[in-house]
Amino acid sequence: MKTLSRLLLSAAGVALFAGLRVNAQTKAKAENVPTIPHTSVANFFKLPSDLYFGEGIGIATNSKGHVFVYHRSGDTRLFEFDANGSFVKEWGIGVYGIEFAHQVRVDPQDNVWVVDEGTNMVIKFNPAGRVLMTLGRRAEAVEAPAPAPAPGTQPRPGWGSFNRPTDVAWDRDGNVFIADGYNNSRVVKVDKNGRWVKTWGERGTGPGQFRLPHAIAVDRNDQIYVGDRSNRRIQVFDADGRFLRMFSIDVPASPGTRPVNGNVPTRAALCNT
């Protein structure tokens, strides 16, 4: 339940509206759905007077209850707070792979991982804040940008590189799973030493295909849950990428619900996302 709660909260875009095509997967019903226990604490975070939050993109906690917030402002920044909300420190100042935040996660050993959509990198910090591993590579400013793909086509995924990655998770053996992401429409598996093992997925609507894998989580049985955002579903795989099952969350919006930006999309607009 903890894994599913984390995935559902991270993949907010997965849950959309009823009446859409389900593609033979199980359809979740908005009946007898338990409320996730929570407490609202006003002004919990206590920032120094010269620091400010930007757009909060990722949030995670470690075993001590410390909170990590990865946010976008004039510069993407990673802040640590203690269990009472007091500011502890900023992580990754000047790190080359921090540019445009997307997610922060903490693994079972309290290592802190950030997924940076702008630099196409995943960075592992030890609990003291020292960089232990980098995955992917930020393009050097002196290099000419890669040519844009032809209209209507997707860029070709590369081995060892990401294209706007979104999230990261781990299995019991320490293997790393990265949702890759906005442009590559795949999952990447890397071993605990940073060696690439395999990838699976491509852009599409069938089982094992993705249209924006936006969140990823691993349960106690090492099953991999992928929030397939634009397909409005969660797909489940084993640790080797074999498809197991999938389910949609086509839950109707409450009457009067308004989106943050724009109007409530029509069914046609959602189906063509």
Side-chain angles (χ1 to χ4, degrees):
M1 186 67 185
K2 181 179 179 182
T3 295
L4 285 177
S5 297
R6 171 193 161 199
L7 183 64
L8 294 175
L9 290 170
S10 300
V14 173
L16 291 172
F17 301 100
L20 302 174
R21 184 165 55 93
V22 181
N23 292 326
Q25 65 257 36
T26 304
K27 191 172 184 179
K29 296 182 179 180
E31 298 175 359
N32 302 318
V33 178
T35 300
I36 298 174
H38 67 279
T39 301
S40 177
V41 180
N43 302 314
F44 175 76
F45 294 111
K46 305 167 186 68
L47 282 165
S49 60
D50 59 341
L51 290 180
Y52 303 89
F53 278 132
E55 182 183 19
I57 301 300
I59 190 166
T61 57
N62 66 10
S63 64
K64 299 177 181 178
H66 284 210
V67 183
F68 297 84
V69 182
Y70 198 34
H71 66 102
R72 304 169 184 166
S73 56
D75 298 303
T76 278
R77 308 177 80 166
L78 176 61
F79 291 163
E80 178 187 359
F81 300 84
D82 68 17
N84 298 312
S86 296
F87 181 79
V88 176
K89 66 179 181 180
E90 180 175 357
W91 289 49
I93 298 173
V95 170
Y96 186 62
I98 290 181
E99 178 64 30
F100 194 67
H102 200 278
Q103 191 55 274
V104 59
R105 299 291 189 193
V106 179
D107 69 20
Q109 292 73 44
D110 273 352
N111 300 302
V112 177
W113 298 66
V114 296
V115 181
D116 198 285
E117 180 190 345
T119 62
N120 295 320
M121 294 183 68
V122 178
I123 303 170
K124 176 185 179 181
F125 297 88
N126 72 9
R130 182 178 179 84
V131 174
L132 293 183
M133 182 187 297
T134 60
L135 301 172
R137 185 174 179 86
R138 180 179 185 173
E140 283 73 16
V142 295
E143 296 179 353
T153 64
Q154 290 295 112
R156 183 176 181 178
W159 183 259
S161 62
F162 305 113
N163 197 331
R164 300 181 66 191
T166 53
D167 203 357
V168 63
W170 315 268
D171 65 13
R172 289 173 295 179
D173 294 327
N175 293 304
V176 186
F177 298 85
I178 298 106
D180 180 36
Y182 278 86
N183 287 332
N184 279 344
S185 300
R186 66 179 180 177
V187 172
V188 175
K189 180 179 180 179
V190 180
D191 73 16
K192 63 182 180 181
N193 298 311
R195 299 183 182 93
W196 281 49
V197 176
K198 68 186 307 180
T199 72
W200 70 86
E202 60 183 359
R203 186 171 178 84
T205 59
Q209 296 180 321
F210 305 104
R211 289 198 303 159
L212 210 177
H214 200 263
I216 193 165
V218 182
D219 70 14
R220 68 183 65 185
N221 298 314
D222 286 344
Q223 294 185 352
I224 317 300
Y225 294 73
V226 182
D228 187 10
R229 189 171 82 173
S230 293
N231 280 328
R232 306 177 299 278
R233 65 191 183 187
I234 294 172
Q235 299 194 60
V236 187
F237 305 87
D238 70 14
D240 290 317
R242 285 184 285 267
F243 174 81
L244 300 177
R245 61 189 182 277
M246 61 183 171
F247 51 94
S248 67
I249 316 173
D250 292 332
V251 179
S254 300
T257 296
R258 302 298 302 173
V260 174
N261 296 309
N263 298 319
V264 176
T266 64
R267 178 193 295 183
L270 289 170
C271 290
N272 291 322
T273 302

